[in-house]
Amino acid sequence: MNKARLQGLSAGIIFTTTIFAAFYYGTGKFEGTTPTAEEAKELLVKKGFVVTLPTEEAKKTVQPKDPDKVLMEKEASKEAPSIVTYTIKVKTNMTTAEIADRLSKEKIIDDAAEFEAYMNDRDYSKKIQIGEFVVTNNMTYRQLANTLTH
């Protein structure tokens, strides 16, 4: 392909693009494509959807629960809590699942899977130290994780 043909092809592409742009922007079809809130609501109602505003109760159920807060609420609801103390020995190559199972068996935590997920989600499982750690059943997940990683 020589220089003159390449220039002709380029000029044709630019000319065609200019014509398309003029028709697109000149007709005004690009304007007003975003419906207002009322128009969107009417459209959804016509399609068979039910549109309501969220209530306070619905807002509360949508928010995820913090495991630390749940554990604190459980501890607060107990009438006469008996404190259980346990010394856990973390050995080389011990997994988070093994630690969570041991803490669950010793009644330090209620749910081993929940504690393991907490440790993994917040990357505490990569920072667990080898040694002996004293833990109690009234510690939050965060306190347990800090104890096992320091």
Side-chain angles (χ1 to χ4, degrees), residues 94-96 99 116 118-130 145 148-150:
M94 199 168 189
T95 65
T96 308
I99 293 170
E116 182 182 0
Y118 178 86
M119 295 288 284
N120 290 333
D121 290 344
R122 289 163 179 79
D123 290 330
Y124 284 116
S125 58
K126 297 176 184 176
K127 302 173 187 173
I128 294 175
Q129 301 293 314
I130 298 170
L148 295 171
T149 58
H150 289 110

Side-chain angles (χ1 to χ4, degrees), residues 19-33:
I19 290 175
F20 280 125
F23 277 109
Y24 181 75
Y25 290 110
T27 60
K29 289 189 177 184
F30 72 96
E31 295 175 4
T33 56

Side-chain angles (χ1 to χ4, degrees), residues 2-82:
N2 62 18
K3 186 177 180 180
R5 285 189 177 180
L6 187 60
Q7 287 176 341
L9 179 65
S10 298
I13 292 172
I14 291 171
F15 180 71
T16 306
T17 305
T18 304
I19 290 175
F20 280 125
F23 277 109
Y24 181 75
Y25 290 110
T27 60
K29 289 189 177 184
F30 72 96
E31 295 175 4
T33 56
T34 305
T36 63
E38 288 299 317
E39 292 172 341
K41 184 177 178 181
E42 289 175 20
L43 180 64
L44 289 171
V45 170
K46 285 179 184 176
K47 296 280 184 175
F49 291 95
V50 177
V51 181
T52 61
L53 293 174
T55 62
E56 289 299 320
E57 185 176 319
K59 288 180 185 177
K60 290 178 184 176
T61 59
V62 172
Q63 295 174 352
K65 291 186 175 182
D66 183 21
D68 288 336
K69 195 173 187 179
V70 171
L71 186 62
M72 289 172 61
E73 289 173 357
K74 287 180 184 177
E75 292 298 325
S77 66
K78 293 181 181 177
E79 291 178 11
S82 60

